[in-house]
Amino acid sequence: MTNPLLFLLAALALVAIPGPNHLYITARSIGEGRRAGIVSALGVETGTLVHIAAAGAGLSAVIAASATAFSFLRYAGAAYLVFLAYRTLRGRHGAGDMELEPQPLRRVFLDGVLVNVLNPKVVLFFLAFLPQFVDQNAGAVPLQIVAMGTVLALIGLGSDIVYATAAGSIGAWLRARPAFQRRQRYATGFIYLGLGAAAVFAAPSTRRG
């Protein structure tokens, strides 16, 4: 790896920029509580580890170079976010259609994994960002990519947890006020729809997630 300090500073700067992952985790925390937000963060960064493994194995380059594979990933990710929006906007039956129905934490974790794994912008991000810091003379390029990606995932997890904790507190405040509950559910659902639309128009980005 060339200049580890420079890589660390660049990673911190990129993670500090709010991106779709932060927005997703914030929506989940506000809608279902701090615990769901933190579990979502763990799921999202587990998805990041999948991308890191794919980048290290060269699969990310194959996906980015294949219009068919990239389009499949893009539309699958968008469809899953639309499904999450539908599930959120549908509301809880028999509760005045106001409250969000809490999902089992196992499902929350899986949602986070899938949202990130099916995000084509993450594929493009790793292809654009990590190779800039690879030292060809140090050998074992895949291991360098995996090492840098893991560091980035750990930094991202810390940032995600901060967002989940703050948004969870906001969600608790809103849930204590019934007048806000319907708006809260709609806001969460439309955030998912917006992320789905963004996935359809995915393009190379310097923003993680």
Side-chain angles (χ1 to χ4, degrees):
M1 186 192 308
T2 59
N3 202 333
L5 179 59
L6 181 60
F7 165 74
L8 185 60
L9 291 174
L12 288 169
L14 285 171
V15 169
I17 301 172
N21 283 344
H22 290 137
L23 194 57
Y24 168 75
I25 291 166
T26 296
R28 198 96 205 206
S29 298
I30 290 176
E32 299 178 48
R34 183 182 295 118
R35 182 180 295 182
I38 292 174
V39 172
S40 291
L42 292 170
V44 164
E45 297 308 334
T46 299
T48 297
L49 294 178
V50 174
H51 282 291
I52 292 167
L59 294 178
S60 295
V62 173
I63 292 172
S66 169
T68 300
F70 189 80
S71 293
F72 172 80
L73 193 66
R74 179 172 57 179
Y75 290 118
Y80 195 73
L81 285 163
V82 170
F83 164 72
L84 292 181
Y86 165 76
R87 192 173 70 190
T88 300
L89 294 171
R90 183 183 58 183
R92 186 205 299 268
H93 299 295
D97 199 33
M98 292 176 63
E99 298 179 13
L100 282 171
E101 181 178 1
Q103 301 296 318
L105 293 181
R106 182 196 222 162
R107 184 181 221 177
V108 171
F109 177 81
L110 182 60
D111 284 345
V113 174
L114 290 177
V115 164
N116 204 18
V117 167
L118 296 176
N119 185 351
K121 293 185 74 174
V122 181
V123 174
L124 296 174
F125 168 79
F126 279 115
L127 287 177
F129 180 69
L130 294 182
Q132 299 180 49
F133 301 94
V134 168
D135 184 355
Q136 297 289 347
N137 297 321
V141 170
L143 289 180
Q144 292 183 57
I145 289 176
V146 169
M148 289 187 290
T150 302
V151 170
L152 191 59
L154 291 173
I155 295 173
L157 179 60
S159 174
D160 294 343
I161 289 175
V162 170
Y163 275 83
T165 302
S169 298
I170 295 172
W173 184 86
L174 291 173
R175 280 189 294 278
R177 290 156 178 79
F180 288 98
Q181 288 182 4
R182 186 183 295 274
R183 296 175 188 174
Q184 175 188 354
R185 176 165 61 81
Y186 287 147
T188 301
F190 283 117
I191 287 174
Y192 293 155
L193 283 176
L195 290 173
V200 171
F201 299 103
S205 171
T206 58
R207 189 173 293 187
R208 179 180 170 272

Coordinates of all heavy atoms in Angstrom, one line a residue, residues 1-91:
M1 N 0.8 -1.2 0.0 CA 0.0 0.0 0.0 C 0.9 1.2 0.0 O 1.8 1.3 0.8 CB -0.9 0.0 1.3 CG -1.9 1.1 1.3 SD -2.7 1.3 2.9 CE -3.2 -0.4 3.2
T2 N 0.6 2.2 -0.9 CA 1.4 3.4 -0.9 C 0.8 4.5 0.0 O -0.4 4.8 0.0 CB 1.4 4.0 -2.3 OG1 0.0 4.3 -2.7 CG2 2.0 3.1 -3.3
N3 N 1.6 5.0 0.9 CA 1.2 6.0 1.9 C 0.0 5.7 2.6 O -1.1 6.2 2.4 CB 1.0 7.4 1.1 CG 1.2 8.5 2.1 OD1 0.9 8.4 3.3 ND2 1.5 9.7 1.5
P4 N 0.1 4.8 3.6 CA -1.1 4.4 4.4 C -1.8 5.6 5.1 O -3.0 5.6 5.3 CB -0.5 3.4 5.5 CG 0.7 2.9 4.8 CD 1.3 4.1 4.0
L5 N -1.0 6.6 5.5 CA -1.6 7.7 6.2 C -2.5 8.5 5.2 O -3.6 8.9 5.6 CB -0.5 8.7 6.7 CG -1.0 9.9 7.4 CD1 -1.9 9.6 8.6 CD2 0.2 10.8 7.9
L6 N -2.1 8.7 4.0 CA -2.9 9.3 3.0 C -4.2 8.6 2.7 O -5.3 9.2 2.6 CB -2.1 9.5 1.7 CG -2.8 10.2 0.5 CD1 -3.2 11.6 1.0 CD2 -2.0 10.2 -0.7
F7 N -4.1 7.2 2.7 CA -5.3 6.4 2.5 C -6.2 6.6 3.7 O -7.4 6.7 3.5 CB -4.9 4.9 2.4 CG -6.1 4.0 2.6 CD1 -7.0 3.9 1.6 CD2 -6.2 3.3 3.7 CE1 -8.1 3.0 1.7 CE2 -7.3 2.4 3.9 CZ -8.3 2.3 2.9
L8 N -5.7 6.6 4.9 CA -6.5 6.7 6.1 C -7.3 8.1 6.1 O -8.5 8.1 6.4 CB -5.7 6.6 7.3 CG -6.4 6.6 8.7 CD1 -7.4 5.4 8.7 CD2 -5.5 6.5 9.8
L9 N -6.5 9.1 5.7 CA -7.2 10.5 5.7 C -8.2 10.5 4.6 O -9.3 11.1 4.8 CB -6.1 11.5 5.4 CG -5.1 11.8 6.6 CD1 -4.0 12.7 6.1 CD2 -5.8 12.3 7.8
A10 N -8.0 9.9 3.5 CA -8.9 9.9 2.4 C -10.2 9.1 2.8 O -11.3 9.5 2.5 CB -8.3 9.3 1.1
A11 N -10.0 8.0 3.4 CA -11.1 7.1 3.9 C -11.9 7.9 4.9 O -13.2 7.8 4.8 CB -10.6 5.8 4.5
L12 N -11.3 8.6 5.8 CA -12.1 9.3 6.8 C -12.9 10.4 6.2 O -14.0 10.7 6.6 CB -11.1 9.9 7.9 CG -10.5 8.9 8.9 CD1 -9.4 9.6 9.7 CD2 -11.5 8.3 9.8
A13 N -12.3 11.1 5.2 CA -13.0 12.2 4.5 C -14.2 11.7 3.8 O -15.3 12.3 3.8 CB -12.0 12.9 3.6
L14 N -14.0 10.5 3.1 CA -15.1 10.0 2.3 C -16.3 9.5 3.2 O -17.4 9.7 2.9 CB -14.6 8.8 1.4 CG -13.8 9.2 0.2 CD1 -13.2 8.0 -0.4 CD2 -14.7 10.0 -0.8
V15 N -15.9 8.8 4.3 CA -16.9 8.3 5.2 C -17.7 9.4 5.9 O -18.9 9.3 6.2 CB -16.3 7.4 6.3 CG1 -17.3 7.0 7.4 CG2 -15.8 6.1 5.6
A16 N -17.0 10.6 6.1 CA -17.7 11.7 6.7 C -18.7 12.3 5.8 O -19.6 13.0 6.3 CB -16.6 12.8 7.1
I17 N -18.7 12.1 4.5 CA -19.7 12.6 3.6 C -21.0 11.8 3.7 O -20.9 10.6 3.4 CB -19.2 12.7 2.2 CG1 -17.9 13.5 2.1 CG2 -20.2 13.2 1.2 CD1 -17.2 13.4 0.7
P18 N -22.1 12.3 4.1 CA -23.3 11.5 4.1 C -23.7 10.9 2.8 O -23.6 11.6 1.8 CB -24.4 12.5 4.6 CG -23.6 13.6 5.2 CD -22.3 13.7 4.5
G19 N -24.0 9.6 2.8 CA -24.3 9.0 1.5 C -25.6 8.1 1.7 O -26.2 8.1 2.7
P20 N -25.9 7.3 0.6 CA -27.1 6.5 0.7 C -27.2 5.5 1.9 O -28.2 5.3 2.4 CB -27.1 5.8 -0.6 CG -26.3 6.7 -1.6 CD -25.3 7.3 -0.7
N21 N -26.0 5.0 2.2 CA -26.0 4.0 3.4 C -26.4 4.8 4.7 O -27.2 4.2 5.5 CB -24.6 3.4 3.6 CG -24.3 2.3 2.6 OD1 -25.2 1.8 1.9 ND2 -23.0 2.0 2.5
H22 N -25.9 6.0 4.9 CA -26.3 6.7 6.0 C -27.8 7.1 6.0 O -28.5 7.0 7.0 CB -25.5 8.1 6.1 CG -24.1 7.9 6.4 ND1 -23.0 8.6 5.7 CD2 -23.4 7.1 7.3 CE1 -21.9 8.2 6.2 NE2 -22.1 7.3 7.2
L23 N -28.3 7.4 4.8 CA -29.7 7.7 4.7 C -30.6 6.5 5.0 O -31.6 6.6 5.7 CB -30.0 8.2 3.3 CG -31.3 8.9 3.0 CD1 -31.5 10.1 4.0 CD2 -31.4 9.4 1.6
Y24 N -30.2 5.4 4.5 CA -30.9 4.1 4.8 C -30.9 3.8 6.3 O -32.0 3.5 6.8 CB -30.3 3.0 4.0 CG -30.8 1.6 4.4 CD1 -32.1 1.2 4.0 CD2 -30.1 0.8 5.2 CE1 -32.6 0.0 4.4 CE2 -30.6 -0.4 5.6 CZ -31.9 -0.8 5.2 OH -32.4 -2.0 5.7
I25 N -29.8 3.9 6.9 CA -29.7 3.6 8.3 C -30.4 4.6 9.2 O -31.1 4.2 10.1 CB -28.2 3.5 8.7 CG1 -27.5 2.3 8.1 CG2 -28.0 3.5 10.3 CD1 -26.0 2.3 8.2
T26 N -30.4 5.8 8.8 CA -31.2 6.9 9.5 C -32.7 6.6 9.4 O -33.4 6.6 10.4 CB -30.9 8.2 8.9 OG1 -29.5 8.6 9.1 CG2 -31.7 9.3 9.5
A27 N -33.1 6.2 8.2 CA -34.6 5.9 8.0 C -35.0 4.7 8.8 O -36.0 4.7 9.5 CB -34.9 5.7 6.5
R28 N -34.1 3.7 8.9 CA -34.4 2.5 9.6 C -34.5 2.8 11.1 O -35.3 2.3 11.9 CB -33.4 1.5 9.3 CG -33.8 0.0 9.7 CD -34.4 -0.7 8.5 NE -35.3 -1.7 8.8 CZ -35.5 -2.8 8.0 NH1 -34.9 -2.9 6.9 NH2 -36.4 -3.7 8.4
S29 N -33.5 3.6 11.6 CA -33.5 4.0 13.0 C -34.7 4.8 13.4 O -35.3 4.6 14.5 CB -32.2 4.7 13.3 OG -31.1 4.0 13.0
I30 N -35.0 5.8 12.6 CA -36.2 6.6 12.9 C -37.5 5.8 12.9 O -38.3 5.9 13.8 CB -36.3 7.8 12.0 CG1 -35.2 8.8 12.2 CG2 -37.6 8.5 12.1 CD1 -35.1 9.9 11.2
G31 N -37.6 4.9 12.0 CA -38.8 4.1 11.8 C -39.0 3.0 12.8 O -40.1 2.7 13.3
E32 N -37.8 2.3 13.2 CA -37.9 1.1 14.0 C -37.1 1.1 15.3 O -37.0 0.1 16.0 CB -37.6 -0.1 13.2 CG -38.5 -0.3 12.0 CD -38.1 -1.5 11.1 OE1 -37.9 -2.6 11.7 OE2 -38.1 -1.3 9.9
G33 N -36.4 2.2 15.5 CA -35.6 2.3 16.7 C -34.1 2.2 16.6 O -33.6 1.7 15.6
R34 N -33.4 2.6 17.6 CA -32.0 2.6 17.6 C -31.4 1.2 17.4 O -30.4 1.0 16.7 CB -31.5 3.1 19.0 CG -29.9 3.3 19.0 CD -29.5 3.8 20.4 NE -30.0 5.1 20.6 CZ -30.8 5.5 21.6 NH1 -31.2 4.6 22.4 NH2 -31.1 6.7 21.7
R35 N -32.0 0.2 18.0 CA -31.4 -1.2 17.9 C -31.5 -1.6 16.4 O -30.6 -2.2 15.9 CB -32.2 -2.2 18.8 CG -31.7 -3.6 18.7 CD -32.4 -4.5 19.6 NE -32.3 -4.2 21.0 CZ -32.8 -4.9 22.0 NH1 -33.6 -5.9 21.8 NH2 -32.6 -4.5 23.3
A36 N -32.6 -1.4 15.8 CA -32.8 -1.8 14.4 C -31.8 -1.0 13.5 O -31.2 -1.5 12.5 CB -34.2 -1.5 13.9
G37 N -31.5 0.3 13.9 CA -30.5 1.0 13.1 C -29.1 0.5 13.2 O -28.4 0.4 12.2
I38 N -28.8 0.1 14.4 CA -27.4 -0.5 14.7 C -27.3 -1.8 13.9 O -26.2 -2.1 13.3 CB -27.1 -0.6 16.2 CG1 -27.0 0.8 16.8 CG2 -25.9 -1.4 16.4 CD1 -26.8 0.8 18.3
V39 N -28.3 -2.7 14.0 CA -28.3 -3.9 13.3 C -28.2 -3.7 11.8 O -27.5 -4.4 11.1 CB -29.5 -4.8 13.7 CG1 -29.6 -6.0 12.8 CG2 -29.4 -5.2 15.2
S40 N -28.9 -2.7 11.3 CA -28.8 -2.3 9.9 C -27.4 -2.0 9.5 O -26.9 -2.3 8.4 CB -29.8 -1.2 9.6 OG -31.1 -1.5 9.7
A41 N -26.8 -1.2 10.4 CA -25.4 -0.8 10.1 C -24.5 -2.0 10.0 O -23.6 -2.1 9.2 CB -24.9 0.1 11.3
L42 N -24.7 -3.0 10.9 CA -23.9 -4.2 10.9 C -24.2 -5.0 9.6 O -23.3 -5.5 9.0 CB -24.2 -5.1 12.1 CG -23.8 -4.6 13.4 CD1 -24.4 -5.4 14.6 CD2 -22.3 -4.6 13.5
G43 N -25.4 -5.0 9.1 CA -25.8 -5.6 7.9 C -25.1 -4.9 6.7 O -24.6 -5.6 5.8
V44 N -25.2 -3.6 6.7 CA -24.6 -2.8 5.6 C -23.1 -3.1 5.5 O -22.6 -3.3 4.3 CB -24.9 -1.3 5.8 CG1 -24.0 -0.5 4.9 CG2 -26.4 -1.0 5.5
E45 N -22.4 -3.1 6.6 CA -21.0 -3.3 6.5 C -20.6 -4.7 6.2 O -19.5 -5.0 5.7 CB -20.3 -2.7 7.8 CG -20.5 -1.3 8.0 CD -20.1 -0.4 6.8 OE1 -19.3 -0.8 6.0 OE2 -20.7 0.7 6.6
T46 N -21.5 -5.7 6.6 CA -21.3 -7.0 6.2 C -21.4 -7.1 4.6 O -20.6 -7.8 4.0 CB -22.3 -8.0 6.8 OG1 -22.2 -7.9 8.2 CG2 -22.1 -9.4 6.3
G47 N -22.3 -6.4 4.1 CA -22.4 -6.3 2.6 C -21.2 -5.6 2.0 O -20.7 -6.1 0.9
T48 N -20.6 -4.7 2.7 CA -19.3 -4.1 2.3 C -18.2 -5.1 2.2 O -17.4 -5.1 1.3 CB -18.9 -2.9 3.2 OG1 -19.9 -1.9 3.2 CG2 -17.5 -2.4 2.8
L49 N -18.2 -6.0 3.2 CA -17.2 -7.1 3.2 C -17.3 -8.0 2.0 O -16.3 -8.5 1.4 CB -17.3 -7.9 4.5 CG -16.9 -7.2 5.8 CD1 -17.1 -8.1 7.0 CD2 -15.5 -6.7 5.7
V50 N -18.6 -8.2 1.5 CA -18.8 -9.0 0.3 C -18.2 -8.3 -0.9 O -17.6 -8.9 -1.7 CB -20.3 -9.2 0.1 CG1 -20.6 -9.9 -1.2 CG2 -20.9 -10.1 1.3
H51 N -18.4 -7.0 -1.0 CA -17.9 -6.2 -2.1 C -16.3 -6.2 -2.0 O -15.7 -6.3 -3.1 CB -18.4 -4.7 -2.0 CG -19.7 -4.5 -2.5 ND1 -20.1 -4.7 -3.8 CD2 -20.9 -4.2 -1.8 CE1 -21.4 -4.4 -4.0 NE2 -21.9 -4.1 -2.8
I52 N -15.8 -6.2 -0.8 CA -14.3 -6.2 -0.7 C -13.8 -7.5 -1.2 O -12.8 -7.6 -2.0 CB -13.9 -6.0 0.8 CG1 -14.3 -4.6 1.3 CG2 -12.4 -6.3 1.0 CD1 -14.2 -4.4 2.8
A53 N -14.4 -8.6 -0.8 CA -14.0 -9.9 -1.3 C -14.1 -10.0 -2.8 O -13.2 -10.5 -3.5 CB -14.8 -11.0 -0.7
A54 N -15.2 -9.5 -3.4 CA -15.4 -9.5 -4.8 C -14.3 -8.6 -5.5 O -13.8 -9.0 -6.6 CB -16.8 -8.9 -5.2
A55 N -14.0 -7.5 -4.9 CA -13.0 -6.6 -5.5 C -11.6 -7.3 -5.5 O -10.8 -7.3 -6.5 CB -12.9 -5.3 -4.8
G56 N -11.3 -7.9 -4.4 CA -10.0 -8.6 -4.3 C -9.9 -9.8 -5.2 O -8.8 -10.1 -5.7
A57 N -11.0 -10.4 -5.5 CA -11.0 -11.6 -6.4 C -11.1 -11.2 -7.9 O -11.1 -12.0 -8.8 CB -12.1 -12.5 -6.1
G58 N -11.3 -9.9 -8.1 CA -11.5 -9.4 -9.5 C -12.9 -9.4 -10.0 O -13.1 -9.1 -11.2
L59 N -13.8 -9.9 -9.2 CA -15.2 -10.0 -9.7 C -15.9 -8.6 -9.9 O -16.7 -8.5 -10.8 CB -16.0 -10.8 -8.7 CG -15.7 -12.3 -8.5 CD1 -16.5 -12.9 -7.5 CD2 -15.8 -13.0 -9.9
S60 N -15.5 -7.6 -9.1 CA -16.1 -6.3 -9.3 C -15.8 -5.7 -10.7 O -16.6 -5.1 -11.3 CB -15.6 -5.4 -8.2 OG -16.0 -5.8 -6.9
A61 N -14.6 -6.0 -11.2 CA -14.2 -5.5 -12.5 C -15.0 -6.2 -13.6 O -15.4 -5.5 -14.5 CB -12.7 -5.7 -12.7
V62 N -15.3 -7.5 -13.4 CA -16.1 -8.2 -14.3 C -17.5 -7.7 -14.4 O -18.1 -7.5 -15.4 CB -16.1 -9.7 -14.0 CG1 -17.1 -10.5 -14.9 CG2 -14.7 -10.3 -14.1
I63 N -18.1 -7.4 -13.2 CA -19.4 -6.9 -13.1 C -19.5 -5.5 -13.8 O -20.4 -5.2 -14.5 CB -19.9 -6.8 -11.7 CG1 -20.1 -8.2 -11.1 CG2 -21.2 -6.0 -11.5 CD1 -20.4 -8.3 -9.6
A64 N -18.6 -4.6 -13.4 CA -18.6 -3.3 -14.0 C -18.4 -3.3 -15.5 O -18.9 -2.4 -16.2 CB -17.5 -2.4 -13.3
A65 N -17.6 -4.3 -16.0 CA -17.4 -4.3 -17.5 C -18.5 -5.0 -18.2 O -18.6 -4.8 -19.4 CB -16.1 -5.1 -17.7
S66 N -19.4 -5.7 -17.5 CA -20.5 -6.3 -18.2 C -21.8 -5.5 -18.0 O -22.3 -5.3 -16.9 CB -20.7 -7.7 -17.6 OG -22.0 -8.3 -18.0
A67 N -22.3 -5.0 -19.1 CA -23.6 -4.2 -19.1 C -24.7 -5.0 -18.5 O -25.5 -4.5 -17.7 CB -23.9 -3.7 -20.5
T68 N -24.8 -6.3 -18.9 CA -25.9 -7.2 -18.4 C -25.8 -7.4 -16.9 O -26.8 -7.2 -16.2 CB -25.8 -8.5 -19.1 OG1 -26.0 -8.3 -20.5 CG2 -27.0 -9.4 -18.6
A69 N -24.6 -7.7 -16.4 CA -24.4 -8.0 -15.0 C -24.7 -6.7 -14.1 O -25.3 -6.8 -13.1 CB -23.0 -8.5 -14.7
F70 N -24.1 -5.6 -14.6 CA -24.3 -4.3 -13.9 C -25.8 -3.9 -13.9 O -26.3 -3.5 -12.8 CB -23.5 -3.3 -14.6 CG -23.4 -2.0 -13.7 CD1 -22.6 -1.9 -12.7 CD2 -24.2 -0.9 -14.1 CE1 -22.5 -0.7 -11.9 CE2 -24.2 0.3 -13.3 CZ -23.3 0.3 -12.2
S71 N -26.5 -4.1 -15.0 CA -27.9 -3.7 -15.0 C -28.7 -4.6 -14.1 O -29.6 -4.1 -13.4 CB -28.4 -3.8 -16.5 OG -27.8 -2.9 -17.3
F72 N -28.4 -5.9 -14.1 CA -29.1 -6.8 -13.2 C -28.9 -6.4 -11.7 O -29.9 -6.3 -11.0 CB -28.6 -8.3 -13.4 CG -29.1 -9.2 -12.3 CD1 -30.4 -9.7 -12.5 CD2 -28.4 -9.5 -11.2 CE1 -31.0 -10.6 -11.6 CE2 -28.9 -10.4 -10.3 CZ -30.2 -10.9 -10.4
L73 N -27.7 -6.1 -11.4 CA -27.4 -5.6 -10.0 C -28.2 -4.3 -9.7 O -28.8 -4.2 -8.6 CB -25.9 -5.4 -9.8 CG -25.4 -5.3 -8.4 CD1 -25.6 -6.6 -7.6 CD2 -24.0 -4.9 -8.4
R74 N -28.2 -3.4 -10.6 CA -28.8 -2.1 -10.4 C -30.3 -2.3 -10.2 O -30.9 -1.7 -9.3 CB -28.5 -1.2 -11.6 CG -29.2 0.1 -11.6 CD -28.7 1.0 -12.7 NE -28.9 0.4 -14.0 CZ -28.6 1.0 -15.1 NH1 -28.0 2.2 -15.1 NH2 -28.9 0.4 -16.3
Y75 N -31.0 -3.0 -11.1 CA -32.4 -3.2 -11.0 C -32.8 -4.0 -9.9 O -33.9 -3.8 -9.3 CB -33.0 -3.7 -12.4 CG -32.9 -2.6 -13.5 CD1 -32.1 -2.9 -14.6 CD2 -33.5 -1.4 -13.3 CE1 -32.0 -1.9 -15.6 CE2 -33.4 -0.4 -14.3 CZ -32.7 -0.7 -15.5 OH -32.5 0.2 -16.4
A76 N -32.0 -5.0 -9.5 CA -32.4 -5.9 -8.4 C -32.3 -5.1 -7.1 O -33.2 -5.2 -6.2 CB -31.4 -7.1 -8.3
G77 N -31.3 -4.2 -7.0 CA -31.2 -3.3 -5.8 C -32.3 -2.4 -5.7 O -32.9 -2.1 -4.7
A78 N -32.7 -1.8 -6.9 CA -33.8 -0.8 -6.9 C -35.1 -1.5 -6.5 O -35.9 -1.0 -5.7 CB -33.9 -0.2 -8.2
A79 N -35.3 -2.7 -7.0 CA -36.5 -3.5 -6.7 C -36.6 -3.8 -5.2 O -37.7 -3.7 -4.7 CB -36.6 -4.7 -7.6
Y80 N -35.5 -4.1 -4.6 CA -35.5 -4.5 -3.2 C -35.9 -3.3 -2.4 O -36.6 -3.4 -1.4 CB -34.2 -5.1 -2.8 CG -34.3 -5.8 -1.5 CD1 -34.9 -7.0 -1.4 CD2 -33.7 -5.2 -0.3 CE1 -35.1 -7.7 -0.1 CE2 -33.9 -5.9 0.9 CZ -34.5 -7.1 1.0 OH -34.6 -7.7 2.2
L81 N -35.3 -2.1 -2.7 CA -35.6 -0.9 -2.0 C -37.1 -0.5 -2.1 O -37.7 -0.1 -1.2 CB -34.7 0.2 -2.4 CG -33.3 0.1 -1.9 CD1 -32.4 1.0 -2.7 CD2 -33.2 0.5 -0.4
V82 N -37.7 -0.7 -3.3 CA -39.1 -0.5 -3.6 C -39.9 -1.4 -2.7 O -40.9 -1.0 -2.1 CB -39.4 -0.6 -5.1 CG1 -41.0 -0.6 -5.3 CG2 -38.8 0.5 -5.9
F83 N -39.5 -2.7 -2.6 CA -40.2 -3.6 -1.7 C -40.1 -3.2 -0.3 O -41.2 -3.2 0.4 CB -39.5 -5.0 -1.8 CG -39.9 -6.0 -0.7 CD1 -41.1 -6.5 -0.7 CD2 -39.0 -6.3 0.3 CE1 -41.5 -7.4 0.4 CE2 -39.3 -7.1 1.3 CZ -40.6 -7.7 1.3
L84 N -39.0 -2.7 0.2 CA -38.9 -2.1 1.6 C -39.9 -0.9 1.7 O -40.5 -0.8 2.8 CB -37.5 -1.7 1.9 CG -36.4 -2.8 2.0 CD1 -35.1 -2.2 2.3 CD2 -36.8 -3.9 3.0
A85 N -40.0 -0.1 0.7 CA -40.9 1.0 0.8 C -42.3 0.6 0.9 O -43.1 1.1 1.7 CB -40.7 1.9 -0.5
Y86 N -42.7 -0.4 0.1 CA -44.0 -1.0 0.1 C -44.3 -1.5 1.5 O -45.4 -1.3 2.1 CB -44.2 -2.0 -1.0 CG -45.4 -2.9 -0.8 CD1 -46.7 -2.4 -1.1 CD2 -45.3 -4.2 -0.2 CE1 -47.8 -3.2 -0.9 CE2 -46.5 -4.9 0.0 CZ -47.7 -4.4 -0.3 OH -48.8 -5.2 -0.1
R87 N -43.4 -2.3 2.0 CA -43.6 -2.9 3.3 C -43.8 -1.9 4.4 O -44.6 -2.0 5.3 CB -42.4 -3.8 3.7 CG -42.6 -4.7 4.8 CD -41.5 -5.7 5.0 NE -40.3 -5.0 5.4 CZ -39.1 -5.6 5.4 NH1 -38.9 -6.9 5.0 NH2 -38.0 -5.0 5.8
T88 N -43.0 -0.7 4.3 CA -43.1 0.3 5.3 C -44.4 1.1 5.1 O -45.1 1.4 6.1 CB -42.0 1.3 5.1 OG1 -40.7 0.6 5.3 CG2 -42.0 2.4 6.1
L89 N -44.8 1.5 3.9 CA -46.0 2.3 3.7 C -47.3 1.5 3.9 O -48.3 2.1 4.2 CB -46.0 2.8 2.2 CG -44.9 3.8 1.9 CD1 -44.8 4.1 0.4 CD2 -45.1 5.1 2.7
R90 N -47.2 0.2 3.8 CA -48.4 -0.6 4.1 C -48.9 -0.5 5.5 O -50.1 -0.5 5.8 CB -48.1 -2.1 3.8 CG -49.2 -3.0 3.9 CD -48.8 -4.5 3.7 NE -47.7 -4.8 4.6 CZ -47.1 -6.0 4.5 NH1 -47.4 -6.9 3.6 NH2 -46.1 -6.3 5.4
G91 N -48.0 -0.3 6.5 CA -48.3 -0.1 7.8 C -48.7 -1.3 8.6 O -48.7 -2.4 8.0

